Amino acid sequence: MGQMARQKPGDKTGTLIICCGAVAREIIAMIDANGWDDMRVDCLPAHLHNDPGRIPEGVRRKIRANRDLCERIVVLYSDCGTGGQLEDMLNEEGVESIKGAHCYEVFAGADTFAAMMKAEPGSFILTDFLTQHFERLVVKGLGLDRYPELRSTYFGKYKKLVYLAQSDDLALKAKAEAAAETLGLEFEMRFTGYGDFEKFLREQRR
Amino acid sequence: MAIQEIYDAVMEYDDTRVVELINQELDAGTDVKTILDEGMIAAMDMIGKQFSGGTLFVPEMLMAAEAVQAGLDVLRPHLVGTGTKPAGTVVLGTVRGDLHDIGKNLVGLMLEGGGFRVVDLGVDVDAETFITTAQENEADIIALSSLLTTSMPEMEKAVAAISEANENRNLNIKVMVGGPPINQNYADKIGAHGYGLDAPGAVALARTLVGD
């Protein structure tokens, strides 16, 4: 179910990173770029973002299934709308995780994200993943393909689309700009790279 | 027969047709309460059941809600004239720092359809505004909504302020909370009287809180 592991057969050492499918591609790219060969990634489906109550038990299942297969487990989920339930579960399991409210905050950095939202509370955020899958996750996911008149219902309170870019990809930037146009919002791009995800994993390796 | 057509028009998300049919019924002298109960509320109950049962999704629910809203806008002035006593009064809003209102609007609509008087304060509402509005309107319930994880602390502050106002100002206002990052554990932790999982759930909860 939504598994994207880089597991080496027979590998019972190293660190397992459990994360959301919405950031898995970036996490794997970051690990590859840094040559962290002792780390592997397993993820839960990205669509659980729409049903965050299922995240804690999904992560718990991954932890229990892998506890004897690796030296260490690290969870790269922030609260992600679980209302503290994920943190409670991780405390029960004794597993460390990255802090933060959601991946936007982790990519941008907590202070930067807070300042950004304070400056314009009506900011709708896209990451590389959301930009790549904008049509499926936003347009079709919200039913805008069937009921375009709902655009103002969903986005009437937003002023700006902020694209938090993890990669320097002109095609993605163009897609994000087109998304802003589709939603009738101003466009802003901020390059974040892997943000606090990278910082956190570096700290874990010390 | 025409009442059934109103029901069908809501289920087909046809707001123009809903308004047209309601006006026809009002012109024909049909009882306002009959139009509301058998046309609108019956359709909303079905929509709520389908949504809770997972056979109808948010976009469809929003479309139906807009049709219901259009119908309620026509019926509201006539309902006032009937002197029908509301099931209770609910002051509703999204907490400070949060501009999201889709869920809140759905809850407001379902509450209104369910016979409650709703005072909707909109978005980005501070605790004191909730309390003073509830006092002015002799509200039974304050309903707090939040979509952002980052605005959840504001919900906690609002619940604490309402609790304090209940003690110090001799009020008896119940607080219900809801929104995607909210759950029963969180509602219990911050001292809310209830948590609504979704819009139909919020109506059932409000009925319980007013002792219906």
Side-chain angles (χ1 to χ4, degrees), chain A residues 7 20 103 117 178 195:
Chain A
Q7 184 149 18
C20 170
C103 62
M117 294 308 287

Side-chain angles (χ1 to χ4, degrees), chain B residues 6-205:
Chain B
I6 293 171
Y7 176 99
D8 292 342
V10 172
M11 300 304 286
E12 289 163 11
Y13 324 135
D14 190 342
D15 53 349
T16 308
R17 182 85 179 128
V18 168
V19 169
E20 191 183 294
L21 289 166
I22 288 177
N23 279 323
Q24 280 176 17
E25 286 304 308
L26 290 172
D27 288 345
T30 307
D31 176 48
V32 179
K33 200 78 175 62
T34 304
I35 300 172
L36 181 70
D37 290 345
E38 295 175 23
M40 310 285 282
I41 292 180
M44 285 176 62
D45 281 348
M46 178 54 70
I47 288 160
K49 278 178 193 157
Q50 290 181 350
F51 181 74
S52 298
T55 56
L56 183 138
F57 304 99
V58 170
E60 284 70 27
M61 187 158 181
L62 285 171
M63 289 297 291
E66 294 199 353
V68 170
Q69 184 68 63
L72 284 176
D73 287 346
V74 177
L75 282 180
R76 201 173 288 116
H78 299 275
L79 279 168
V80 173
T82 65
T84 307
K85 193 173 178 293
T89 298
V90 181
V91 171
L92 170 72
T94 305
V95 298
R96 166 157 271 183
D98 200 328
L99 300 181
H100 296 89
D101 64 356
I102 293 173
K104 170 190 73 66
N105 293 346
L106 275 175
V107 168
L109 193 64
M110 296 290 277
L111 283 169
E112 200 175 350
F116 285 85
R117 178 174 162 252
V118 176
V119 182
D120 189 342
L121 293 175
V123 298
D124 194 20
V125 183
D126 63 81
E128 188 54 30
T129 304
F130 276 116
I131 295 165
T132 50
T133 307
Q135 270 188 288
E136 286 162 12
N137 288 277
E138 297 180 354
D140 305 283
I141 299 170
I142 293 176
L144 306 173
S145 171
S146 164
L147 182 132
L148 299 173
T149 311
T150 45
S151 66
M152 286 167 68
E154 291 298 329
M155 181 175 272
E156 185 170 0
K157 282 184 204 168
V159 172
I162 295 161
S163 172
E164 196 181 315
N166 277 339
E167 275 188 29
N168 299 339
R169 302 184 208 179
N170 195 29
L171 304 173
N172 182 26
I173 304 167
K174 300 286 195 300
V175 192
M176 52 191 266
V177 296
I182 313 300
N183 54 47
Q184 186 66 56
N185 285 349
Y186 183 74
D188 293 342
K189 185 180 142 199
I190 65 175
H193 295 100
Y195 158 68
L197 174 67
D198 52 25
V203 178
L205 173 62

